[in-house]
Amino acid sequence: MNKNEIKEEIDRLIREIEFHNHLYYIESKPQISDYEFDVMLSRLQELENDNPEFAYSYSPTKRIGGDITKKFETVLHRFPMLSLSNTYAEEEIVDWENRIKKLTQGEIDYVCELKYDGVAIGIRYENGRLIKAVTRGDGVQGEDVTNNVKTIRTIPLQLKGDFPSDFEIRGEIYMPIEVFKNLNKEREDSGEQLFANPRNTASGTLKMQDSSAVSARSLDSYLYGVYGDNLFFENHFSAVQNAGSWGFKIPSSDKRFIEKTNTIKGIMEFIHYWDKERYNLPFEIDGVVIKVNDYQIQNELGFTAKSPRWAIAYKFKAERVETILESVTYQVGRTGAITPVANLKPVSLGGTIVKRASLHNQDQIEKLNLFLGDTVFIEKGGEIIPKVVGVNTLNRSASLTPVMFVGTCPDCKSQLERKQGEAQHYCPNDEKCPPQIKGKLEHFISRKAMNIEGLGSETIELLFEKGLIHTFSDLYDLTFDQIVNLDGMAEKSANNLLQGLGASKNVPFSRVLFALGIRHVGETVAKKLVNHFQNINALSEASREELIQVEEIGEKIADSILSYFSNANHLKELDKLILIGLQFENERKIIKSNKLEGQSFVVSGVFESFSRDELKLLIEDNGGKNVSSISSKTNYLIAGENMGPSKLKKAEDLKITIINEDDFKQMVS
Ligand code: IVH
């Protein structure tokens, strides 16, 4: 293929991938399989790797992430990013509407919208291509988060249809509730501190340095405003509809996410509808926004210092109810973390019956100054997890006693510990405390860990109660007779379970490491450790300094790993698991090919997924040639962290293609 043909194919692939991306993520009507989509994307990536001059900033390969932003540059907004005046009182909406009617003549059209609870973003497009995405910041200037925003699948990189040549679109980036819950579940599994709510998590995610980590977090967006000098529409509603036709995700009229009305009655109906229905949305809203539709009238009304006069937000009150605190119990997690739980007289809140609420930790109980039998106020925090927000002390009788945080484990009665600087209490008896043992076993068999088919928490419970399992290795000693004699077990399910245990011996090392349940070692950390240390011996012998050198491993994780390997019982258990045949070594997948034939490579710097020698072996396995220094005949420089600047300069001077390890993985994948 000559360069022209290559460019044409790249252009065609970009168009086609964006087209199918739109069908999948915005219209929810995919026309091709995920596999076909991936094939196109790999082909595009391959062409871009080979022809970096055609690797465009708006290519859908950017959605996978990989670009690192070390420092987010500050950018001045072209149009200030104002906020909305808001109210919790319906009367103030009535007053606002009356004021508008007085200041203008004739009938007024209003647009009612949801007030998405996320992070505001302004995205600039020139000639249909995404140029820059900037956070709100202080309204005058914000931060350039372009690389991260490009990973959001519902934000088009290349527009279709009839769009203005230069404009900015504004909207909200949010984390869907389901994504938030799954993320927190993963964090709970690895003993990490949970995120507070979807909004803060979306905001934190948008500021992550590694865009591939952002890509994995599945953020979403709704766009609600178009700004520019020569726009060709006359009102807000039609601007939003037009933006939809260029490929943006816009609110659906069918679902009443956006609605036009010309009466206060219509506005109030919208407010009342969403005050109830908000709990059924897949994302969080904190109110509704009412805007004057016509741009001309908007201009006449103008702005106050902080916000437009033509719009107002009605914020929902967090629904709050009173109920009685009947008791406080304590849950023991698999890492020994103790969580106090308020048991309440059942009460209806936000469409569900609430019986329990988290009290987080001792400090929280003391801050609330809780007494058993108190009348407490309950709110849906971040609309998801109910929490106790206060006490109605007027109702407190003299006979009540204060809630005292437990000193010993509710299950095994060990003295609880609290590390300096941490809010959480822990039960230190990790080898004998029943909920910890069961929790660890449940984690070990779970889908993302050993994924043992035919075994679930109920069976773990039964096996534990019968005294048949205590450690992970005990699972592999189970006999057919022991299993088949359990309640509700038939021959077939017993065989399935044994087969599942057998199959788990092929689970790769990184998942085995995750399955061990070392505090703070989640899936990602386990992968990083395995890539760095390659086998359990090297990991178990690593010093604190060596551990901290690994990307994403800080002091807290390093100390937890050291403490795990300093325990003789853990080492004994590991020996057993090794004998059983679980994987404790990183398997280098040898896929021989001639994909790199005729190409010469210089490898320089430090890599995340390979040692330099492994990388060199991979090059040879795929038909490429390793050379030690750069010359005009070198085809590629694979550049890792901390490579020497002189090598880099030489490669640039000689116009050698410089790639990173992800590019290389794509080349041989
Ligand atoms: S319009 C000049 N519409 O609410 C006013 N804002 O204080 C431009 N928000 O941070 C904003 N949903 O990000 C508008 N449908 C919506 C919105 C919305 C959420 C956010 C916005 C801003 C805050 C306004």
Side-chain angles (χ1 to χ4, degrees):
M1 270 205 293
N2 67 32
K3 288 281 173 191
N4 255 342
E5 287 164 343
I6 292 170
K7 184 176 179 313
E8 267 171 29
E9 180 165 2
I10 287 185
D11 287 344
R12 182 185 62 76
L13 281 166
I14 290 180
R15 271 196 312 273
E16 218 160 289
I17 292 170
E18 277 296 85
F19 172 73
H20 289 290
N21 186 69
H22 183 268
L23 286 178
Y24 186 93
Y25 286 100
I26 297 188
E27 303 207 8
S28 304
K29 280 186 211 137
Q31 284 178 359
I32 59 172
S33 67
D34 290 0
Y35 175 75
E36 285 167 292
F37 186 86
D38 288 344
V39 168
M40 282 201 284
L41 199 61
S42 313
R43 172 75 185 139
L44 178 60
Q45 182 82 68
E46 189 183 327
L47 287 171
E48 289 176 357
N49 286 340
D50 292 345
N51 307 278
E53 69 271 36
F54 299 137
Y56 301 117
S57 63
Y58 55 87
S59 160
T61 54
K62 296 284 176 226
R63 298 204 185 279
I64 308 160
D67 286 330
I68 307 281
T69 312
K70 287 265 186 261
K71 183 177 176 298
F72 295 104
E73 297 297 329
T74 305
V75 181
L76 212 59
H77 290 299
R78 220 171 21 145
F79 309 92
M81 254 174 135
L82 299 175
S83 57
L84 292 166
S85 63
N86 58 53
T87 174
Y88 287 93
E90 289 185 14
E91 308 83 74
E92 289 190 24
I93 301 288
V94 177
D95 293 346
W96 172 80
E97 205 265 338
N98 279 331
R99 271 199 307 280
I100 304 261
K101 273 196 296 213
K102 269 197 204 128
L103 289 170
T104 54
Q105 275 145 25
E107 197 170 82
I108 310 246
D109 262 347
Y110 299 100
V111 179
C112 306
E113 286 173 13
L114 303 180
K115 188 169 188 308
Y116 312 100
D117 199 9
V119 188
I121 194 81
I123 316 174
R124 182 147 178 198
Y125 284 80
E126 280 172 23
N127 301 317
R129 284 172 189 160
L130 191 159
I131 300 294
K132 217 179 245 328
V134 183
T135 61
R136 176 167 186 272
D138 61 6
V140 177
Q141 51 186 29
E143 284 176 310
D144 179 343
V145 288
T146 312
N147 287 336
N148 289 345
V149 167
K150 280 184 185 169
T151 67
I152 302 172
R153 307 301 199 266
T154 47
I155 294 182
L157 303 175
Q158 160 95 63
L159 305 182
K160 56 191 176 98
D162 195 8
F163 44 78
S165 60
D166 184 358
F167 70 96
E168 182 175 330
I169 188 152
R170 289 189 178 163
E172 201 83 352
I173 289 174
Y174 64 89
M175 179 170 277
I177 294 174
E178 202 54 32
V179 174
F180 172 77
K181 282 188 180 162
N182 288 338
L183 186 64
N184 257 354
K185 174 88 186 37
E186 277 172 26
R187 289 177 77 85
E188 193 176 6
D189 281 349
S190 57
E192 296 292 293
Q193 187 144 19
L194 300 191
F195 288 124
N197 56 51
R199 175 169 34 89
N200 291 359
T201 318
S203 157
T205 303
L206 215 49
K207 301 269 182 67
M208 294 204 308
Q209 292 191 336
D210 179 356
S211 59
S212 49
V214 183
S215 176
R217 288 262 182 103
S218 305
L219 294 175
D220 208 336
S221 68
Y222 267 114
L223 284 316
Y224 54 63
V226 183
Y227 297 74
D229 288 330
N230 297 308
L231 301 179
F232 44 76
F233 19 77
E234 286 168 359
N235 60 58
H236 172 63
F237 193 81
S238 106
V240 173
Q241 300 312 308
N242 268 284
S245 75
W246 310 329
F248 290 100
K249 178 164 165 179
I250 55 158
S252 137
S253 298
D254 291 348
K255 293 188 189 154
R256 290 188 78 176
F257 289 0
I258 188 166
E259 203 160 272
K260 259 199 296 192
T261 176
N262 51 17
T263 62
I264 185 72
K265 187 164 167 275
I267 294 175
M268 288 305 163
E269 267 173 20
F270 189 80
I271 290 177
H272 296 154
Y273 178 78
W274 284 110
D275 197 7
K276 282 212 182 66
E277 277 303 307
R278 63 181 150 141
Y279 301 106
N280 298 323
L281 285 168
F283 49 85
E284 295 200 331
I285 60 172
D286 58 344
V288 300
V289 184
I290 299 111
K291 299 173 181 172
V292 169
N293 191 23
D294 192 282
Y295 280 160
Q296 176 105 34
I297 306 178
Q298 284 191 4
N299 280 337
E300 283 167 24
L301 290 164
F303 297 84
T304 69
K306 279 186 289 179
S307 48
R309 285 200 192 85
W310 45 260
I312 191 164
Y314 174 84
K315 299 248 272 182
F316 296 131
K317 287 177 227 43
E319 198 185 344
R320 172 186 278 216
V321 287
E322 274 188 18
T323 187
I324 306 291
L325 173 69
E326 292 184 330
S327 65
V328 174
T329 47
Y330 298 84
Q331 281 178 346
V332 188
R334 73 172 166 84
T335 59
I338 307 288
T339 311
V341 177
N343 297 296
L344 309 163
K345 181 159 175 255
V347 60
S348 163
L349 177 65
T352 48
I353 303 288
V354 176
K355 293 182 196 137
R356 285 141 64 85
S358 168
L359 287 167
H360 303 291
N361 51 46
Q362 181 180 22
D363 295 348
Q364 181 70 12
I365 292 180
E366 283 171 6
K367 207 165 97 195
L368 289 164
N369 187 20
L370 277 188
F371 280 54
L372 282 178
D374 261 342
T375 304
V376 288
F377 298 115
I378 310 293
E379 266 183 21
K380 279 216 163 167
E383 318 295 4
I384 296 178
I385 308 155
K387 59 179 179 197
V388 179
V389 291
V391 180
N392 184 352
T393 43
L394 295 176
N395 280 6
R396 182 179 289 163
S397 74
S399 61
L400 299 187
T401 52
V403 174
M404 300 299 286
F405 197 83
V406 275
T408 55
C409 173
D411 273 81
C412 73
K413 308 292 174 230
S414 301
Q415 196 69 33
L416 298 185
E417 289 176 359
R418 179 174 175 180
K419 288 218 178 85
Q420 228 193 349
E422 287 194 22
Q424 202 100 36
H425 280 76
Y426 285 94
C427 165
N429 184 16
D430 64 335
E431 276 152 37
K432 300 244 167 62
C433 179
Q436 288 193 60
I437 300 172
K438 281 186 273 183
K440 283 189 172 69
L441 287 162
E442 276 169 16
H443 170 71
F444 183 81
I445 63 161
S446 64
R447 199 172 51 81
K448 289 188 169 171
M450 302 304 284
N451 190 22
I452 299 178
E453 297 257 338
L455 187 54
S457 3
E458 281 159 28
T459 315
I460 290 282
E461 179 82 36
L462 286 174
L463 290 164
F464 179 80
E465 294 308 328
K466 290 213 155 180
L468 292 171
I469 53 168
H470 204 81
T471 60
F472 306 142
S473 55
D474 292 341
L475 285 168
Y476 295 88
D477 288 339
L478 289 171
T479 63
F480 177 81
D481 287 343
Q482 286 172 330
I483 302 171
V484 87
N485 283 330
L486 296 174
D487 275 354
M489 263 293 168
E491 239 175 66
K492 186 158 176 244
S493 31
N495 277 326
N496 272 350
L497 202 165
L498 286 171
Q499 231 166 37
L501 282 164
S504 75
K505 293 181 190 169
N506 293 324
V507 165
F509 179 31
S510 64
R511 275 172 50 197
V512 177
L513 184 61
F514 170 58
L516 295 178
I518 304 173
R519 195 182 291 170
H520 307 309
V521 178
E523 273 181 288
T524 320
V525 170
K527 276 191 198 139
K528 301 256 173 200
L529 289 168
V530 165
N531 280 331
H532 189 92
F533 292 102
Q534 298 294 322
N535 59 55
I536 193 83
N537 281 343
L539 174 63
S540 66
E541 283 162 12
S543 68
R544 193 165 189 267
E545 289 67 41
E546 283 173 306
L547 287 165
I548 291 173
Q549 268 178 15
V550 183
E551 202 191 335
E552 278 193 35
I553 312 290
E555 292 179 2
K556 195 170 78 174
I557 303 179
D559 286 339
S560 162
I561 296 168
L562 288 175
S563 137
Y564 179 86
F565 286 111
S566 66
N567 180 321
N569 288 334
H570 290 159
L571 299 181
K572 240 193 273 165
E573 171 70 356
L574 282 175
D575 281 342
K576 282 192 197 156
L577 293 173
I578 292 169
L579 270 179
I580 286 166
L582 301 197
Q583 302 294 319
F584 282 98
E585 199 159 343
N586 196 13
E587 195 186 321
R588 190 170 68 84
K589 287 205 187 71
I590 307 175
I591 315 162
K592 298 208 172 186
S593 82
N594 52 5
K595 283 187 184 157
L596 307 180
E597 204 162 278
Q599 311 285 346
S600 63
F601 292 80
V602 170
V603 175
S604 181
V606 181
F607 300 90
E608 195 186 298
S609 331
F610 318 96
S611 69
R612 262 200 299 279
D613 288 341
E614 276 183 310
L615 200 53
K616 287 182 182 171
L617 266 175
L618 258 178
I619 292 172
E620 282 171 17
D621 284 346
N622 287 284
K625 201 170 111 196
N626 287 296
V627 287
S628 55
S629 60
I630 296 171
S631 75
S632 60
K633 290 196 195 116
T634 312
N635 296 95
Y636 293 96
L637 167 66
I638 313 183
E641 282 286 315
N642 301 330
M643 72 169 284
S646 59
K647 236 181 206 168
L648 195 62
K649 177 152 190 329
K650 190 163 179 198
E652 278 167 359
D653 289 347
L654 291 174
K655 303 216 161 36
I656 310 285
T657 309
I658 303 170
I659 59 174
N660 62 26
E661 61 182 306
D662 287 334
D663 302 329
F664 178 75
K665 280 188 205 160
Q666 288 281 347
M667 286 171 82
V668 294
S669 69

